[in-house]
């Protein structure tokens, strides 16, 4: 039987504001398979971040239910720590603490969980190897490039061993070349670790390059407008972007986006 990493049933979100309530996400059903690379794509303000933050347990749903690795994320209005520990998050900004070394930033979640110095160091160094940061253990965040800071953010998100990595436009602030390099790196890290990845992006080419499956969300209140399976073999090389099939999936998404936006 297939296990799902994340399941959502009739998940919806309204934000209370000083004016009228904002309906950010319409009732949404979702099943994300273990090990899948899922991309959420959609126009600005359609509810991608809202959906991702709800999956990550950072935002309580207004209605509906969420389960992570078979465990309910919320119980009696409280977050379930066992489900939360399966989730790691990466945002557009790396949000590293400037007064901690790269290694200490990556190990911080482990320190908060009470691990001793030796174990923290061992785990941080293993993760720094995974994300290609070996040799930068004692550097400060300001001494790293934007791409390297995002590598550190990925390592930190993986530090306590979650099965699921949630990423909200993680490369949105990077220049085009660094972004392409980071896409390749993320694919490699995903293939090496077997994690489930849910990635939010505005970029059609990033979505088609990385995803097993793309959910295209319609404008607010967000709901799934299209579900697109991306068939290319792994590992994908940048050259796949020149293929006719890649171009046709991208063109279809572009047309649909401009039709609904
Ligand atoms: N805390 C909040 N209070 C009220 N409204 C909010 C809040 N957060 C988001 N919204 C509204 O909910 C809708 C969805 O926002 P969300 O940030 O999820 O969109 P998004 O798809 O991530 O957009 P972008 O692509 O620009 O990041 C928007 O209309 C936004 O203005
Ligand atoms: Mg967003």
């Amino acid at each position: 039987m297939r296990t799902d990493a994340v399941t959502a049933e009739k998940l919806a979100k309204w934000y209370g504001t000083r004016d009228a309530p904002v309906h950010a996400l319409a009732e949404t059903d979702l099943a994300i398979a273990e090990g899948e690379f899922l991309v959420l794509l959609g126009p600005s303000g359609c509810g991608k971040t809202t959906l991702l933050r709800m999956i990550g347990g950072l935002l309580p749903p207004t209605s509906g239910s969420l389960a992570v690795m078979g465990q309910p994320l919320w119980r009696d209005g409280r977050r379930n720590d066992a489900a939360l520990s399966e989730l790691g998050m990466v945002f557009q900004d790396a949000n590293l603490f400037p007064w901690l070394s790269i290694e200490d930033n990556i190990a911080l979640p482990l320190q908060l969980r009470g691990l001793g110095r030796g174990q923290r160091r061992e785990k941080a160094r293993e993760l720094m190897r995974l994300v290609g940061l070996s040799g930068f253990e004692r550097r400060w965040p300001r001494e790293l490039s934007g791409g390297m800071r995002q590598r550190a953010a990925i390592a930190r998100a993986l530090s306590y061993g979650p099965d699921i990595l949630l990423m909200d436009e993680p490369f949105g602030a990077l220049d085009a070349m660094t972004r392409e390099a980071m896409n390749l790196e993320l694919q490699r890290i995903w293939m090496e670790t077997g994690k489930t990845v849910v990635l939010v992006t505005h970029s059609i080419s990033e979505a088609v390059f990385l995803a097993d499956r793309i959910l295209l969300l319609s404008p607010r209140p967000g709901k799934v407008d299209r579900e697109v399976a991306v068939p290319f073999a792994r590992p994908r090389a940048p050259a796949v972007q020149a293929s006719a099939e890649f171009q046709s999936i991208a063109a279809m998404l572009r047309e649909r986006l401009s039709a609904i936006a």
Side-chain angles (χ1 to χ4, degrees), residues 1 7-8 53 64 115 126 142 159 174 186 209-210 226 229:
M1 200 181 74
T7 51
R53 289 173 66 86
L115 264 75
E126 173 197 324
R142 65 172 179 276
S159 62
L174 303 177
L186 178 58
F209 183 72
L210 286 172
R226 285 281 191 285

Side-chain angles (χ1 to χ4, degrees):
M1 200 181 74
R2 191 183 85 164
T3 333
D4 283 325
V6 177
T7 51
E9 280 173 17
K10 296 192 169 175
L11 186 68
K13 184 67 188 181
W14 292 77
Y15 287 108
T17 67
R18 264 185 285 175
D19 312 316
V22 174
H23 195 186
L25 190 75
E27 281 192 357
T28 300
D29 293 324
L30 203 61
I32 305 172
E34 239 185 285
E36 182 174 15
F37 200 124
L38 183 81
V39 170
L40 303 175
L41 181 71
S44 187
C46 74
K48 302 180 295 296
T49 294
T50 299
L51 176 55
L52 198 77
R53 289 173 66 86
M54 281 200 288
I55 295 173
L58 297 178
L59 191 65
T62 306
S63 58
S65 67
L66 265 169
V68 172
M69 303 305 286
Q71 315 174 76
L73 186 53
W74 294 86
R75 269 200 298 239
D76 308 322
R78 299 178 59 185
R79 284 183 298 191
N80 173 4
D81 286 340
L84 271 183
S85 69
E86 299 293 3
L87 299 159
M89 295 206 66
V90 177
F91 305 93
Q92 183 166 340
D93 295 312
N95 294 317
L96 302 170
F97 289 111
W99 59 85
L100 292 179
S101 69
I102 296 303
E103 181 181 301
D104 288 346
N105 265 286
I106 291 170
L108 186 62
L110 300 177
Q111 190 172 3
L112 297 174
R113 281 167 172 74
L115 264 75
R117 179 174 288 278
Q119 276 178 301
R120 295 202 304 266
R121 167 156 297 182
E122 193 181 328
K123 187 69 200 173
R125 301 224 156 166
E126 173 197 324
L127 285 163
M128 292 184 77
R129 263 196 306 282
L130 173 72
V131 302
L133 279 181
S134 292
F136 292 89
E137 289 78 6
R138 304 317 304 161
R139 298 295 188 89
W140 303 111
R142 65 172 179 276
E143 297 176 307
L144 266 55
S145 69
M148 291 163 83
R149 284 200 286 267
Q150 286 309 78
R151 289 174 194 259
I154 293 169
R156 181 184 52 192
L158 294 174
S159 62
Y160 47 90
D163 279 322
I164 303 161
L165 193 56
L166 305 175
M167 311 180 85
D168 195 353
E169 303 194 45
F171 311 136
L174 303 177
D175 63 87
M177 271 174 65
T178 306
R179 185 170 187 158
E180 181 154 60
M182 288 305 293
N183 283 342
L184 283 167
E185 282 294 275
L186 178 58
Q187 175 180 235
R188 177 186 61 74
I189 292 165
W190 169 73
M191 290 181 73
E192 260 179 66
T193 59
K195 304 287 178 192
T196 306
V197 174
V198 185
L199 177 123
V200 167
T201 184
H202 276 117
S203 161
I204 293 172
S205 59
E206 184 168 273
V208 182
F209 183 72
L210 286 172
D212 291 327
R213 184 164 59 118
I214 299 170
L215 299 183
L216 178 64
L217 300 187
S218 64
R220 184 163 68 82
K223 57 176 180 298
V224 178
D225 177 83
R226 285 281 191 285
E227 189 181 323
V228 180
V230 183
F232 310 115
R234 309 273 189 180
R236 297 172 185 167
V240 74
Q241 298 176 72
S243 70
E245 199 175 5
F246 189 102
Q247 297 287 333
S248 98
I249 295 172
M252 183 271 285
L253 288 167
R254 197 170 298 114
E255 273 164 39
R256 192 61 205 154
L257 262 169
S258 59
I260 61 177

